[in-house]
Amino acid sequence: MNEEIIIDVQGLNLWYGHNQALHNVTLPVANRKVTALIGPSGCGKSTLIRCFNRMNDLVSGCRVTGNILYHGQNIYGPEADPVELRRKIGMVFHKPNPFPKSIYENIAYGPRVHGIKNKRELDGIVESCLHKAALWEEVKDRMHDSAMSLSGGQQQRLCIARTLAVNPEIILMDEPCSALDPIATSKIEDLIEELKKEYCVIIVTHSMSQASRVSDYTAFMYLGDLIEFGETRQIFENPHKELTENYITGRFG
Amino acid sequence: MHTVWFFCAISSIIGIFFILIFLLYDAVPAFLDIGLIPFLTGERWDPTSIIPKYGLVPLIVGTLLVTIGAMVFAVPFGIACAIFIAELASPRMRNILKPAVELLAGIPSVVYGFFGLVILVKFLQDVLAVPSGESVLAGSILLGIMSLPTIISVSEDAISSVPRYLKEGSLALGATHWQTISKVIVPAALSGITAAVILGIGRAVGETMAVIMVTGNAAIIPDPIWNILSPVRTLTGTLGIEMGEVAVGSLHYHALFGVAVVLLLITLLINLAALTVMKRLKSSQTGGCSRKGMFSCRMITDRLSGITPHLPLGLTALLGLFLLFIGLWQGAIGILILYLTARLIDRYCIRQTVQKIWFSLVTIMMGIVTLILIFILYDIFSNGLPYVTLDFLTESPRNLGRGGGIFPAIIGTFYLVIGSILIALPLGIGAAIYLVEYTKENVLTRFIRTATDLLNGTPSIVFGLFGFTFLVLFLGFGISLLAGMITLALMVLPTVIRTTEEALKSVPDSLREGSYALGATRWQTVRRVVLPPSVPGIITGAILSIGRAAGETAPIMFTAVVFMQRRLPDSFLDPVMALPYHLFILATNVPGARNNQYATAVVLLVLVIMIYGGAIVIRNHYDKKVRW
């Protein structure tokens, strides 16, 4: 890889209680590219993506060893502040989770908690984020309706817009389309294509075709091990490991 | 089978219906004689003077003052404790605190009242240097402590049931834990917290024994009205004190029933409000909403989210205006200063510091509550335990209870509890089976559920009055074991119905369908598939009811008990002694019986704590074991 490496995972192990969920994972992530994590259920791909913004801190009994370097700083180091980290590394969840507030308030929430109070500034952020998330045209006349009144696909794009509003560098997406129909899915995929011009995107997906469509790099995981990592085309067309090939060709999974 | 369950199910409707009818029947003569308006707006309550006065205003004012005072204390502390338990406590700490709060809800009110009488009132007397500590302040503090468990456990449920993904969504945006709590979690739990506060108010309004013991019971309007050191008398207190001494059939007697009707209506309104808020909560959480337009839940949640940012300011303004209105400008200024400090901290400290400040505040408040409760338990145990001897448990009382033991009271409580549970359990389980297994949701089931909820919120003293007029007088049971059993059974019936219903509902439909698919009848399915896994839930409900029945004083005060009964009851129509009533009389009417008072309190407390503890252990055991 001759890209700029923004996140460098080095020898990461993770335990839930006595149960080891990640074994010595090493993975470089390139800036302004899409990196997909694929693998069968329970392989640890969601666990891994939740390490990048330390969301696993919320799980009781979760323990981590190894390093994740973000701009060269270990995010699990003693001085790292998960709150500040999450501001730079946003996350979109597998089920749309808008707050039970209005559309406007959902997006303004992030800037507000980071201290922006000026109404005009907030308006600007809300509008530009909705544009970036390709949702502006659909909601511009009902900004103060409840976010719960949107369809599932719209809610997910709202969640993406909400993530963009705190101006992150990296966007983590944990199976963002798993609760959506094919049309909403294709809209999100188009959006990811747009987003990678400005952001680094890491996406967990169940769908191999989605990984091959949207990602530049792909990591294949199995039972907590990172089996193979490389350019997406190479992984799908010419996998080096037999396990990867079996999974890609649908012999298990 | 269907009809049997049906009749069980309408038992609670019949119960609430009979209560209303009989109270009204006895209250109407008073309304007619005194006139409804003079009765409600009269400014003096003095039924024993030469020209008797029957005006409810001082009693209503007394109830209001004590309740407001209780909430000023209980709401902030209750919500802080709920936040602490749900969000800040480690899992191990939560596993201790949650059952502890439930245990506290089970402490009989007469024990709280006893503590208030011997410790709190004396303490206020010494610290404030007033002639008597029996006052609005004492009542407010005590009722505040008593309604804390309700507020804490219901708000804690509401906060913990805020979906995890909302919390994660907020944290993923880089919000601090406190920002997440104050801006996402608490607003999302707001309707649950509101319901908790309303239920707490209901508890405070309906409480009798503790209030009688600490408020001084002078039927006066405090002058000036914010004089929290003035004694007052509440609606419930009036019933508790005067009902025992009144001539049956006199105007005074009917006026007391008028008081009961007013009290019942107030609590019915409070409970209906709580029910409505909770229903809203349920429908807005599941996303299903039948109503459209102005009052649909979506509109309501929009509104709620619209007002939440202004909620602190609004509450401060309201409280400040209220204080100004009653002329207490020092209080208003204090509130203003508190509010401004909070705003300044929010504005000028970095958010990590803000979080630290708030978290320490919440932790300190939790600590204060814990210390108060530990102190109450410690005081009672340390003073009473030395006197709980074998003789004390097995002898009859002597010298008005100053000497001797409490054997007849233990036996009496035992009989009352067993009898009431034997009546309530079959009825309650039957009703729950009917509601869950034999009907679909329709007007009738909604009616039954509402009646059950209302019965649940009826003040215990109202049950006492109903038992007196219906069972003791109308049916001619006299002051008897039987009358007490039936009154208590009616009181615990809602608990049995609700817990059984929950247990039956938690059995997944797939099991029922599996049984039907094999050709089983409905009754076979219920008996062999649904009931067996529900047994732990039903037992829990039964045990909770036993605890409640064992600790209550007000319902049996006029229906079943006498003080100083040497012999044990021979038949169901004999009166008995009972532990809570024995403690009440010892504490209020027998000077110089301090040791036996404490000892009786210890026995009652240990009994109730053991019963509740048993229920909690059973529930936790099966919660872990049964996973669908």
Side-chain angles (χ1 to χ4, degrees):
Chain A
M1 269 173 41
N2 8 344
E3 317 278 349
E4 176 202 351
I5 303 298
I6 187 163
I7 280 195
D8 201 1
V9 183
Q10 299 172 336
L12 189 75
N13 293 289
L14 183 144
W15 290 263
Y16 292 126
H18 294 292
N19 196 357
Q20 188 165 4
L22 293 177
H23 303 268
N24 199 19
V25 171
T26 295
L27 173 74
V29 179
N31 200 1
R32 304 197 178 192
K33 294 283 173 198
V34 179
T35 304
L37 307 177
I38 62 169
S41 298
C43 69
K45 55 194 191 302
S46 278
T47 299
L48 178 60
I49 201 173
R50 288 167 64 92
C51 286
F52 294 136
N53 66 346
R54 290 188 58 174
M55 221 49 184
N56 283 328
D57 289 14
L58 303 182
V59 181
S60 62
C62 175
R63 197 160 49 83
V64 175
T65 64
N67 296 331
I68 297 180
L69 301 184
Y70 168 57
H71 288 307
Q73 299 281 322
N74 184 11
I75 66 169
Y76 278 99
E79 266 127 64
D81 178 2
V83 173
E84 292 304 322
L85 174 77
R86 290 177 193 139
R87 181 180 183 171
K88 304 307 290 177
I89 305 181
M91 184 166 208
V92 176
F93 296 82
H94 63 97
K95 209 179 126 202
N97 60 346
F99 302 127
K101 299 171 188 276
S102 69
I103 295 169
Y104 180 93
E105 286 299 325
N106 258 282
I107 300 173
Y109 177 83
R112 280 218 174 103
V113 299
H114 296 109
I116 295 175
K117 292 209 168 69
N118 185 318
K119 176 88 170 91
R120 191 167 299 163
E121 201 179 346
L122 284 175
D123 287 349
I125 293 175
V126 170
E127 184 175 342
S128 78
C129 290
L130 282 173
H131 275 300
K132 280 190 201 164
L135 194 60
W136 174 252
E137 289 303 320
E138 292 160 62
V139 301
K140 65 181 176 194
D141 299 324
R142 46 177 181 141
M143 297 291 279
H144 296 283
D145 282 9
S146 169
M148 300 300 178
S149 65
L150 299 174
S151 72
Q154 288 173 325
Q155 287 187 6
Q156 195 62 298
R157 276 178 285 150
L158 178 71
C159 291
I160 294 174
R162 185 176 75 183
T163 307
L164 300 180
V166 294
N167 200 13
E169 239 181 329
I170 303 175
I171 299 169
L172 309 173
M173 294 187 171
D174 187 359
E175 298 187 35
C177 303
S178 65
L180 305 181
D181 63 54
I183 295 171
T185 301
S186 85
K187 281 190 179 158
I188 303 271
E189 287 179 6
D190 293 345
L191 183 55
I192 293 172
E193 200 63 31
E194 280 300 308
L195 289 176
K196 76 171 183 187
K197 292 175 188 159
E198 281 182 64
Y199 306 93
C200 160
V201 177
I202 305 176
I203 180 171
V204 163
T205 174
H206 251 329
S207 147
M208 280 175 283
S209 56
Q210 184 172 58
S212 67
R213 279 196 302 270
V214 302
S215 71
D216 302 297
Y217 294 94
T218 297
F220 170 63
M221 297 182 66
Y222 183 64
L223 295 179
D225 287 302
L226 189 116
I227 305 296
E228 190 171 353
F229 171 72
E231 282 187 34
T232 299
R233 172 185 292 213
Q234 174 255 312
I235 295 282
F236 278 89
E237 287 172 7
N238 183 23
H240 297 318
K241 301 271 172 62
E242 198 188 336
L243 212 50
T244 316
E245 189 176 349
N246 286 346
Y247 182 71
I248 302 283
T249 51
R251 252 167 266 171
F252 77 95
Chain B
M1 286 321 273
H2 189 277
T3 11
V4 176
W5 305 138
F6 176 73
F7 280 111
C8 291
I10 58 172
S11 59
S12 54
I13 296 191
I14 295 177
I16 197 105
F17 186 71
F18 265 46
I19 290 178
L20 276 174
I21 293 294
F22 272 85
L23 292 184
L24 274 176
Y25 175 77
D26 267 323
V28 164
F31 293 156
L32 291 179
D33 223 336
I34 305 161
L36 195 55
I37 303 297
F39 184 63
L40 290 176
T41 58
E43 286 177 17
R44 280 188 59 200
W45 176 267
D46 195 358
T48 50
S49 70
I50 304 163
I51 310 162
K53 292 272 196 306
Y54 300 100
L56 279 191
V57 172
L59 309 183
I60 294 177
V61 167
T63 300
L64 272 182
L65 283 177
V66 174
T67 307
I68 291 173
M71 289 306 120
V72 166
F73 169 76
V75 170
F77 276 91
I79 295 175
C81 291
I83 290 176
F84 183 87
I85 296 175
E87 288 292 327
L88 303 189
S90 65
R92 186 183 296 169
M93 213 175 202
R94 187 174 315 148
N95 287 342
I96 299 170
L97 287 173
K98 276 188 77 167
V101 169
E102 287 174 347
L103 268 185
L104 289 173
I107 295 181
S109 58
V110 67
V111 173
Y112 280 113
F114 171 65
F115 169 82
L117 187 69
V118 296
I119 303 293
L120 182 63
V121 168
K122 291 272 170 335
F123 174 78
L124 292 178
Q125 224 158 292
D126 295 345
V127 168
L128 302 171
V130 286
S132 168
E134 297 189 347
S135 58
V136 177
L137 182 61
S140 299
I141 296 176
L142 199 62
L143 279 185
I145 296 175
M146 291 175 68
S147 43
L148 265 178
T150 312
I151 297 184
I152 296 177
S153 60
V154 179
S155 332
E156 198 268 336
D157 271 354
I159 292 174
S160 336
S161 63
V162 170
R164 203 190 144 84
Y165 55 73
L166 286 185
K167 182 179 176 183
E168 291 188 342
S170 169
L171 289 175
L173 290 169
T176 62
H177 193 181
W178 174 251
Q179 284 174 324
T180 304
I181 291 173
S182 63
K183 298 200 164 110
V184 173
I185 296 180
V186 168
L190 200 60
S191 36
I193 294 175
T194 315
V197 172
I198 301 176
L199 288 176
I201 294 176
R203 169 105 214 242
V205 170
E207 177 50 48
T208 311
M209 306 319 290
V211 174
I212 291 182
M213 293 162 95
V214 299
T215 52
N217 299 314
I220 52 171
I221 300 172
D223 177 41
I225 198 154
W226 66 87
N227 180 7
I228 51 176
L229 297 175
S230 159
V232 283
R233 178 190 276 194
T234 61
L235 292 166
T236 51
T238 309
L239 296 177
I241 293 165
E242 295 180 8
M243 197 60 207
E245 297 158 359
V246 70
V248 173
S250 64
L251 182 59
H252 185 191
Y253 174 82
H254 292 304
L256 287 181
F257 278 89
V259 173
V261 169
V262 172
L263 175 64
L264 187 62
L265 288 182
I266 294 176
T267 46
L268 286 189
L269 281 181
I270 293 173
N271 285 299
L272 277 179
L275 284 179
T276 323
V277 174
M278 296 238 241
K279 230 167 252 162
R280 267 287 130 74
L281 169 79
K282 236 176 233 163
S283 57
S284 66
Q285 265 182 356
T286 50
C289 184
S290 48
R291 269 197 269 180
K292 295 272 176 276
M294 281 287 286
F295 295 104
S296 70
C297 52
R298 191 168 283 155
M299 288 293 290
I300 297 286
T301 38
D302 278 4
R303 296 257 181 77
L304 277 182
S305 62
I307 58 167
T308 38
H310 311 296
L311 209 55
L313 179 62
L315 282 180
T316 316
L318 267 182
L319 200 58
L321 278 179
F322 173 74
L323 287 171
L324 274 182
F325 176 70
I326 61 171
L328 204 62
W329 56 272
Q330 297 96 329
I333 289 179
I335 293 286
L336 190 69
I337 290 175
L338 268 181
Y339 177 76
L340 285 180
T341 322
R343 281 309 296 265
L344 283 179
I345 290 173
D346 264 352
R347 193 167 180 103
Y348 292 109
C349 293
I350 54 163
R351 56 210 185 101
Q352 280 83 350
T353 319
V354 175
Q355 162 158 317
K356 260 183 213 140
I357 293 172
W358 281 106
F359 278 6
S360 0
L361 189 67
V362 166
T363 313
I364 289 170
M365 287 167 94
M366 181 81 218
I368 292 175
V369 169
T370 318
L371 283 181
I372 291 176
L373 294 166
I374 288 177
F375 177 69
I376 295 179
L377 293 180
Y378 171 78
D379 177 67
I380 289 172
F381 276 100
S382 66
N383 286 309
L385 218 46
Y387 303 100
V388 182
T389 57
L390 196 60
D391 288 345
F392 183 73
L393 295 176
T394 55
E395 276 181 19
S396 286
R398 285 191 311 274
N399 188 13
L400 281 178
R402 292 190 189 92
I406 51 167
F407 184 64
I410 295 179
I411 295 297
T413 290
F414 181 72
Y415 282 161
L416 281 171
V417 166
I418 296 292
S420 62
I421 221 63
L422 284 182
I423 300 168
L425 211 53
L427 272 182
I429 295 177
I433 289 179
Y434 177 78
L435 285 174
V436 179
E437 303 294 333
Y438 280 82
T439 54
K440 299 206 174 67
E441 288 296 308
N442 56 30
V443 181
L444 181 69
T445 57
R446 268 207 299 280
F447 214 65
I448 295 174
R449 288 219 168 83
T450 313
T452 311
D453 287 335
L454 292 181
L455 209 53
N456 196 34
T458 304
S460 52
I461 187 84
V462 172
F463 284 105
L465 255 71
F466 165 73
F468 183 69
T469 172
F470 180 61
L471 302 167
V472 175
L473 298 180
F474 186 79
L475 294 182
F477 290 166
I479 306 272
S480 63
L481 192 51
L482 186 60
M485 285 173 180
I486 298 177
T487 313
L488 285 176
L490 201 53
M491 191 189 71
V492 298
L493 188 59
T495 313
V496 179
I497 296 182
R498 272 188 175 180
T499 42
T500 311
E501 238 191 299
E502 292 300 316
L504 295 176
K505 273 190 199 154
S506 71
V507 177
D509 272 339
S510 55
L511 287 190
R512 290 186 185 89
E513 283 163 9
S515 169
Y516 287 138
L518 294 171
T521 64
R522 183 174 293 214
W523 172 236
Q524 284 169 328
T525 306
V526 170
R527 198 166 66 92
R528 290 165 192 267
V529 176
V530 181
L531 276 182
S534 314
V535 167
I538 297 173
I539 293 179
T540 315
I543 297 181
L544 288 177
S545 312
I546 290 176
R548 176 115 196 260
E552 274 291 352
T553 319
I556 54 174
M557 198 152 58
F558 317 119
T559 55
V561 291
V562 287
F563 183 59
M564 285 296 287
Q565 173 96 331
R566 282 298 175 84
R567 62 194 177 89
L568 300 175
D570 294 325
S571 81
F572 280 121
L573 294 177
D574 277 351
V576 291
M577 286 182 73
L579 280 173
Y581 186 68
H582 187 72
L583 174 60
F584 175 65
I585 295 292
L586 276 189
T588 52
N589 286 357
V590 184
R594 189 55 30 101
N595 294 343
N596 275 10
Q597 291 167 8
Y598 268 113
T600 312
V602 166
V603 173
L604 186 55
L605 207 51
V606 168
L607 188 73
V608 172
I609 288 181
M610 264 168 34
I611 293 171
Y612 272 75
I616 292 170
V617 168
I618 289 183
R619 195 195 52 207
N620 288 353
H621 180 71
Y622 282 97
D623 266 4
K624 267 177 215 142
K625 235 167 103 175
V626 184
R627 285 264 180 272
W628 300 109

